[in-house]
């Protein structure tokens, strides 16, 4: 939701525009055969660098709780999974973090929505090059915006020129709106009242609310129902669901925390997420996110042609993401320090949850869950370092070039 900017004072910006950080999710064929140079014989290494990077977030940066789940399908069976936690899931009880806990995943939701749209493209019910007005005439009109000139592709890759409704003045204090219900059309209408953003790429959850309206128009069903029917249920993602107006998180979950104006930690778990919709409302878990990512890239969700479209990237604004990041159709790509690239998406919600799932080009994946948003530039960089370390630790040159 707001975007994450490692160069800004707040360190927040993507999907919820200054409120909810949208970061990371993608992968390549995750069920690869054994790759030369992968671990064997039960020697899984210590993963000490990954553990240290995780602890930095809680011990130095003051994050309440953090969890990381690493999956390496190219390794031998004992070494395929690492689950590590640090800090506290619930300050009331002192319960520690757990990698099986559910959380609000923010803008990771966008990759689910993009996958649905590309399924409809494969079925020839939508066209990437078609203008919005072909499906929703008159929805985008006025204040310099014209739905006849904005394509489905531009919505998916944030090159539509639409403002983000989350940048409206009322969202400067999102906690004041935490129990309100929002309708997608109302939020789109509010966005169109804002000034047109600068540059050719501008991250805006508005784009994905418009995509949700397109899905409803061509299928006759809500986009939430279609994602549940086509993706969540077939993949058996039992921790993943749409909360609707329910402000609770059902099932085992970490609580989430944010800081008030005086720097005090506030419980932000209860939140009406209708403001995020198909751009940021999903609840999920690290395990479900990695299962979704694997299915996306092993062909269970999309034909190869549509998967290739998702991975066609444009240059992103480094001030709103981070240096080296590029944006595809609901996916972000980022260079790895050890060579190669990770693909992914992630998100932050104003109540404090942050999720990220990323996959490297050799198939190793990582899902990270925080229950408090990093408050400093250093903490944001440490968050990205955990992703990079998890995907690079112990990689051989053969795997780096895979």
């Amino acid at each position: 939701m707001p975007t994450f900017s490692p160069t800004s004072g707040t360190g927040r910006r993507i999907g919820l525009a200054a409120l909810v950080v949208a970061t990371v999710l993608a992968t390549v064929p995750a069920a690869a055969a054994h790759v030369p140079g992968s671990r064997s014989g039960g020697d899984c290494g210590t993963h000490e660098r990954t553990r240290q990077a995780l602890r930095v977030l809680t011990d130095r940066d003051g994050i309440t709780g953090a969890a990381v789940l690493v999956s390496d399908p190219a390794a031998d069976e004992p070494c395929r999974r690492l689950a590590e936690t640090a800090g506290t899931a619930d300050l009331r009880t002192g319960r520690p973090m757990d990698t099986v806990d559910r959380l609000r995943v923010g803008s990771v939701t966008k990759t689910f929505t993009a996958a649905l749209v590309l399924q409809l493209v494969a079925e020839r019910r939508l066209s990437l090059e078609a203008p919005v007005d072909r499906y929703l005439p008159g929805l985008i009109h006025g204040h310099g915006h014209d739905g006849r000139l904005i394509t489905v592709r531009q919505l998916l890759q944030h090159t539509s020129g639409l403002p983000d409704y989350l940048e409206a003045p009322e969202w400067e204090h999102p906690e004041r709106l935490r129990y309100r219900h929002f309708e997608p059309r109302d939020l789109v209408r509010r966005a169109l009242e804002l000034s047109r953003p600068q540059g050719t790429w501008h991250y805006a959850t508005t784009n994905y609310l418009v995509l949700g309206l397109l899905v409803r128009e061509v299928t006759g069903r809500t986009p939430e129902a279609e994602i549940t029917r086509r993706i969540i249920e077939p993949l058996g993602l039992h921790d993943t669901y749409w909360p609707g107006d329910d402000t609770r998180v059902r099932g085992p979950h970490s609580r989430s925390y944010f800081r008030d104006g005086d720097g005090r930690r506030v419980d932000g778990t209860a939140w009406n997420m209708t403001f995020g919709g198909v751009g940021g409302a999903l609840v999920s878990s690290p395990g479900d996110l990695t299962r979704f990512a694997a299915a996306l890239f092993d062909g269970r969700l999309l034909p190869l042609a549509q998967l290739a479209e998702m991975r066609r990237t444009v240059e992103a604004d480094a001030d709103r993401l981070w240096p080296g990041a590029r944006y595809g159709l609901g996916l972000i790509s980022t260079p790895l320090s050890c060579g190669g690239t990770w693909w992914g998406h992630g998100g932050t919600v104003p109540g404090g949850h942050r999720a990220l799932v990323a996959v490297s080009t050799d198939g190793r994946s990582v899902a990270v869950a925080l229950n408090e948003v990093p408050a400093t530039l250093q903490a944001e960089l440490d968050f990205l370092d955990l992703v990079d370390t998890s995907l690079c630790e112990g990689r051989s040159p053969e795997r780096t070039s895979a």
Side-chain angles (χ1 to χ4, degrees), residues 5 9 92 95 98 132 141 149 152 183 229 253 304 327 352:
S5 171
R92 300 173 305 174
R95 183 173 69 84
D98 195 319
V132 174
H141 178 73
L149 304 177
V152 174
E183 288 290 333
R229 183 176 73 88
H253 62 277
L304 289 177
Y327 205 92

Side-chain angles (χ1 to χ4, degrees), residues 305-381:
Q306 279 66 50
L307 182 57
E309 292 289 355
M310 288 190 81
R311 295 169 67 183
R312 287 179 58 187
T313 62
V314 295
E315 184 177 357
D317 182 353
D319 188 52
R320 295 183 67 84
L321 288 180
W322 47 87
R326 296 180 63 85
Y327 205 92
L329 305 187
L331 293 177
I332 300 168
S333 70
T334 302
L336 282 165
S337 64
C338 53
T341 302
W342 65 249
W343 289 86
H345 214 295
T348 304
V349 297
H353 275 142
R354 173 178 289 182
L356 173 144
V357 59
V359 183
S360 62
T361 46
D362 64 7
R364 184 186 291 188
S365 66
V366 57
V368 180
L370 306 183
N371 65 352
E372 183 177 350
V373 180
T376 66
L377 170 58
Q378 185 58 57
E380 292 285 3
L381 296 176

Side-chain angles (χ1 to χ4, degrees), residues 152-345:
V152 174
R153 182 188 298 277
Q154 290 172 327
L155 294 173
L156 286 162
Q157 68 185 187
H158 299 293
T159 56
S160 67
L162 292 178
D164 197 336
Y165 59 90
L166 292 162
E167 294 175 339
E170 60 267 27
W171 288 100
E172 287 294 319
H173 299 282
E175 69 278 3
R176 299 175 184 174
L177 307 173
R178 65 188 287 184
Y179 297 113
R180 281 188 54 184
H181 172 86
F182 291 90
E183 288 290 333
R185 283 183 179 269
D186 293 336
L187 293 169
V188 171
R189 189 177 302 114
R190 180 68 179 103
L192 297 179
E193 296 171 353
L194 303 176
S195 300
R196 187 177 179 86
Q198 300 293 318
T200 58
W201 187 88
H202 184 81
Y203 191 100
T205 298
T206 308
N207 291 309
Y208 278 72
L209 296 194
V210 174
L211 289 167
L213 294 172
L214 287 174
V215 169
R216 185 162 193 161
E217 182 66 24
V218 301
T219 67
R221 303 182 184 92
T222 67
E224 292 88 350
E226 283 292 273
I227 289 172
T228 299
R229 183 176 73 88
R230 290 168 172 258
I231 297 174
I232 295 173
E233 290 178 347
L235 296 181
L237 305 182
H238 302 300
D239 294 321
T240 305
Y241 72 94
W242 300 99
D245 283 303
D246 190 350
T247 61
R248 304 165 301 165
V249 178
R250 303 197 304 260
H253 62 277
S254 61
R255 302 197 69 80
S256 61
Y257 302 93
F258 67 95
R259 305 281 179 155
D260 66 12
D262 296 321
R264 293 172 298 194
R265 190 178 275 121
V266 178
D267 191 315
T269 312
W271 210 288
N272 187 317
M273 287 299 298
T274 54
F275 79 92
V278 293
L282 272 178
V283 171
S284 192
S285 67
D288 271 10
L289 293 182
T290 55
R291 282 188 286 274
F292 165 69
L296 179 62
F297 284 88
D298 68 15
R300 280 177 283 164
L301 291 180
L302 289 177
L304 289 177
Q306 279 66 50
L307 182 57
E309 292 289 355
M310 288 190 81
R311 295 169 67 183
R312 287 179 58 187
T313 62
V314 295
E315 184 177 357
D317 182 353
D319 188 52
R320 295 183 67 84
L321 288 180
W322 47 87
R326 296 180 63 85
Y327 205 92
L329 305 187
L331 293 177
I332 300 168
S333 70
T334 302
L336 282 165
S337 64
C338 53
T341 302
W342 65 249
W343 289 86
H345 214 295

Side-chain angles (χ1 to χ4, degrees), residues 112-146:
F112 284 75
T113 300
L116 167 62
V117 169
L118 284 157
Q119 285 182 350
L120 295 172
V121 170
E123 296 165 9
R124 301 183 183 278
R125 302 171 76 178
L126 284 173
S127 168
L128 289 175
E129 314 312 330
V132 174
D133 255 31
R134 176 183 297 181
Y135 309 104
L136 297 168
L139 175 70
I140 300 175
H141 178 73
H143 299 279
H145 304 290
D146 190 342

